[in-house]
Every structure is written in C-alpha cells, then in structure tokens.
Amino acid sequence: MPRYDLILVGAGLANGLIALRLRQQRPSLRMLLLDADSEPGAHHTWSFHADDLNDTQHHWIAPLVVHHWPGYEVRFPHRRRSLNSGYFCVTAERFAQVIRDRFAPDLLLNTRVASIASRSVTLEDGRVLETDAVIDGRGYQPDGALRMGFQAFVGQEWQLSAPHGLTAPIIMDATVDQQSGYRFVYSLPFSADTLLIEDTHYIDNATLEGDRARQNIRDYAAQQGWQLKQLLREEQGALPITLTGDVDAFWQKRDLPCSGLRAGLFHPTTGYSLPLAVALADRLAQMQSFTSETLHATIQQFASHTWQQQRFFRMLNRMLFLAGPADQRWQVMQRFYGLPEGLIARFYAGKLTVSDRLRILSGKPPVPVLAALQAIMTPHRQQAMQ
C-alpha cells in the first residue's frame, strides 16, 4: 500500500468536508478516505440556514447542495410563523456522488478498521496503512465527561400519489402529540410530490422506538392529506444535545485527532454539525504542517474555543431538558419563535449578541421559575458526573 500524508477514517460529513476543502486548497496532499459503509455519508441528510455560513463557505460547498428554499415555517399549538431566512439541504445521494467523483481511487468503502495509531491504520483484514497523520471521524462517541440529551429521529422520503402543496420546509410542527418529550415533525419538500418527513423527539437518551416513529409519520401524513405512495429511503439517528460537562476531561481521553460529532463539534441545541464541520475544514486547510501532533493541537484548540462560545446555549438546553415536564418542553420553543427573526438566525449560526441573550432571558420563562433557576445554576461538574 502507498504511504499517505493523511488518512481520514470515516467518510461521513466532517471528514468528507475536510477532504474536499484540502483537495481544493492543498491538491498535492496525498489523502485516503475509508469507511465501513457501502456509501460515503451513511445515508444521512444535512440542512443548514443561510446565515450559518459566510459567502466563501457557501461557494465551496455549493456542489453538495441540492435544495435551497428562501424561507421556512414553524408550527406550535399557539403560534404559526413563516421566516424569510434561506434554508439549504445536502442529500445523501449528492454527498456520496461528489465524494466518489473527487476521491476515487483514494476511497475505500466496505472497509473495517481494527485499530488506529498516530501514523498508521490497521484494517480488519490485516493490512496496515502508513501515513503522517490520521483523523478519526467515525461519529458520536458517548463520554462520561459530558452530559447529553438527544434529538432522536426517524426520517422517511416518500413519493406521494398527488402534490403535497408545500412551497417551503416545515422545520418544526409541534402541534402533534408530544409523547413524553418535545416532539415535532420536520418536512422537506424535495419536489412537487416527494417529501422527507421526519419524526423528531428531544429526549433524555438516544433510544427511539423505530416502529412507533414510522407510525407517527404515517399518521401525520394522513392528517396533512398526503397520500403516501412509495417509500424511497429511510434514515435514523440521534444527535447529541449538550447540557453541561468538562471539556478538558473530554479531550484528555482523545489521543488522536478527531472531527465532527466525535470531537464535540455540533450546534449544542440542534445537534446540527454542518456549519462547524465547514469551519473546521477551513481551519485545517490553513495549516502548513500535517502531522498527528499539529492536527490534534489545532482541532483541540478549535473545539475548546467553540465550547466556550456555546456556554449560553448549554444553559438554555438545561432549561429545556431539566426545568419542567417533558411533554411541556414545546412551550420553550414556542416562546423562542416569537422573538425577532434576526435573533433567531443568529441563534442558529451561534452568533448571539449580548442584547440577544438578554432578550431571550427577559420576561416570564415558559417553565416554572424555580425549576428554571435550578437548571441554570446546576454545577457543571455535578451534571457531568450524573
């Protein structure tokens, strides 16, 4: 086997974006992408808001974007609102196609890893791949240093018997039965008669009953008058939602460079990882030396800085998960979507101003006041140990 400058273990979103950006900025770098799955991207769909990325970032990931809508809608028991903020979608098919086109033959699929060292990867079949550095991007890994909630979901893409009538995504419809947690249905119109319908739950653990979620999707489609004709594909997952933790202890357990969810790089309230994956790819493309040591230091510094910036969001998450009955969590989000549109955009982009934060906390909280204070003031270390 040839020796590589960089091996990216896991061909998911984070490592795929790193590879694409490095190929654009450092074309002489010898890279290898490998994954245990049959396709890059693990059959997922990724969405993001217009303000999540800057103009340069929008430009370089444009080949991955399949759908773009000028706005989106949210629905709650006592609020329904359309927001004029751009919304974008990267599909599993397009991501896999671009990665295959750009990196064949430097892409190994259906390839399982036995072990990873700082300068080599050993495969289950006994082959040893030599390299100057490795980035582990194999997805979320539970860690006792962090306390998490989860956004667990089952999504199904359906061909309908007739047009659905949607002109924009419904990214939260929380008018549905809450089923012991904050539940909403997420709908993306891919064409006049195809939809991605996702049953989503903010719950305390990563376990979601798949059959019940599938029935929820069928029930919701019937309520909307959508006639399901053919199931095109399904995806299932659980995105981590950070409540609190010890970031130093988290990184002490990571001997090798890592990316994406494995590096704790995701929006703390939504679990969405694309904007931070794009930002990390940009940061790594600026590096002059690619060694295990320089990559580890750069990624840890980037992730630790991101952790500090997300402190306010973790406090809001504790209010959402810890400060009231689970089936009343929707009230927190309903109140949030009554705030100014610019603030909402900055929230998703992780760029809240001081006045934004004061505005979010002003007024009567939508959860019991004492419970809200207890959730906010719960010591971080105690939370992480529970």
Side-chain angles (χ1 to χ4, degrees):
M1 298 293 292
R3 182 178 179 86
Y4 296 93
D5 298 316
L6 177 64
I7 295 178
L8 298 121
V9 180
L13 178 70
N15 274 358
L17 291 177
I18 290 170
L20 287 171
R21 193 58 169 155
L22 290 178
R23 181 58 54 88
Q24 293 170 354
Q25 301 293 97
R26 303 288 296 275
S28 63
L29 203 65
R30 295 167 299 174
M31 291 184 291
L32 176 70
L33 269 166
L34 59 89
D35 201 284
D37 206 338
S38 60
E39 289 288 347
H43 312 287
H44 286 302
T45 302
W46 300 276
S47 299
F48 60 98
H49 299 262
D51 290 344
D52 292 351
L53 307 180
N54 61 38
D55 290 343
T56 300
Q57 292 169 337
H58 273 286
H59 177 74
W60 76 256
I61 73 158
L64 297 171
V65 176
V66 179
H67 303 285
H68 170 216
W69 302 273
Y72 63 90
E73 184 181 345
V74 293
R75 298 175 181 177
F76 296 92
H78 308 299
R79 173 169 285 122
R80 182 166 175 164
R81 186 176 183 186
S82 295
L83 294 99
N84 298 314
S85 174
Y87 199 68
F88 299 77
C89 177
V90 175
T91 63
E93 294 80 7
R94 176 64 63 82
F95 182 85
Q97 175 189 340
V98 170
I99 294 298
R100 282 182 175 277
D101 290 347
R102 302 286 175 87
F103 293 98
D106 298 320
L107 173 65
L108 293 181
L109 298 172
N110 299 303
T111 303
R112 295 191 175 277
V113 170
S115 63
I116 303 175
S118 59
R119 290 175 176 80
S120 66
V121 176
T122 302
L123 306 182
E124 281 193 349
D125 63 11
R127 287 180 292 171
V128 178
L129 310 179
E130 302 292 338
T131 182
D132 292 337
V134 178
I135 297 178
D136 187 353
R138 290 177 294 175
Y140 175 70
Q141 183 180 37
D143 193 298
L146 307 179
R147 185 179 181 185
M148 299 291 190
F150 292 90
Q151 184 194 143
F153 65 90
V154 171
Q156 294 183 331
E157 185 176 347
W158 280 94
Q159 176 82 45
L160 307 183
S161 299
H164 46 69
L166 293 183
T167 58
I170 306 171
I171 70 167
M172 282 187 185
D173 187 343
T175 62
V176 295
D177 178 54
Q178 294 298 282
Q179 298 181 0
S180 302
Y182 175 45
R183 173 180 169 241
F184 61 88
V185 178
Y186 172 87
S187 302
L188 296 182
F190 287 160
S191 72
D193 58 357
T194 58
L195 276 175
L196 175 66
I197 310 172
E198 182 178 288
D199 189 52
T200 305
H201 300 248
Y202 273 63
I203 51 180
D204 298 327
N205 56 67
T207 303
L208 180 64
E209 187 180 339
D211 288 343
R212 185 179 189 184
R214 295 180 186 97
Q215 185 61 52
N216 286 340
I217 291 173
R218 290 191 290 271
D219 292 344
Y220 182 79
Q223 292 165 7
Q224 304 302 309
W226 301 334
Q227 301 175 30
L228 302 178
K229 179 180 180 181
Q230 181 182 1
L231 178 61
L232 303 178
R233 67 179 188 89
E234 178 180 291
E235 57 184 283
Q236 186 170 359
L239 302 179
I241 307 298
T242 313
L243 303 183
T244 189
D246 185 337
V247 69
D248 294 329
F250 176 82
W251 277 100
Q252 285 173 3
K253 303 175 186 177
R254 277 150 179 75
D255 299 328
L256 297 171
C258 52
S259 65
L261 299 184
R262 187 162 289 242
L265 291 172
F266 48 86
H267 192 289
T269 303
T270 67
Y272 284 11
S273 58
L274 186 144
L276 282 172
V278 170
L280 178 62
D282 277 342
R283 177 66 187 88
L284 298 187
Q286 298 170 6
M287 293 178 60
Q288 299 302 312
S289 172
F290 286 86
T291 67
S292 183
E293 294 77 14
T294 57
L295 277 172
H296 189 280
T298 299
I299 295 172
Q300 180 177 355
Q301 182 183 39
F302 179 89
S304 296
H305 177 69
T306 300
W307 175 270
Q308 297 303 323
Q309 290 182 316
Q310 293 176 341
R311 181 177 180 180
F312 181 79
F313 295 86
R314 292 192 296 275
M315 180 193 70
L316 296 180
N317 293 346
R318 293 197 296 277
M319 290 181 62
L320 179 63
F321 275 85
L322 306 177
D327 61 357
Q328 297 299 308
R329 290 172 181 170
W330 61 269
Q331 295 185 46
V332 176
M333 297 306 299
Q334 177 176 264
R335 179 182 182 276
F336 171 75
Y337 270 103
L339 296 172
E341 188 166 325
L343 184 156
I344 294 171
R346 291 189 292 273
F347 176 88
Y348 282 117
K351 300 173 183 176
L352 291 175
T353 66
V354 173
S355 60
D356 288 338
R357 298 178 188 208
L358 292 173
R359 181 67 183 274
I360 289 173
L361 294 177
S362 65
K364 181 181 178 181
V367 293
V369 174
L370 180 59
L373 291 174
Q374 289 174 338
I376 291 172
M377 300 304 294
T378 300
H380 289 193
R381 188 171 296 276
Q382 177 184 341
Q383 286 280 1
M385 295 297 291
Q386 292 180 355

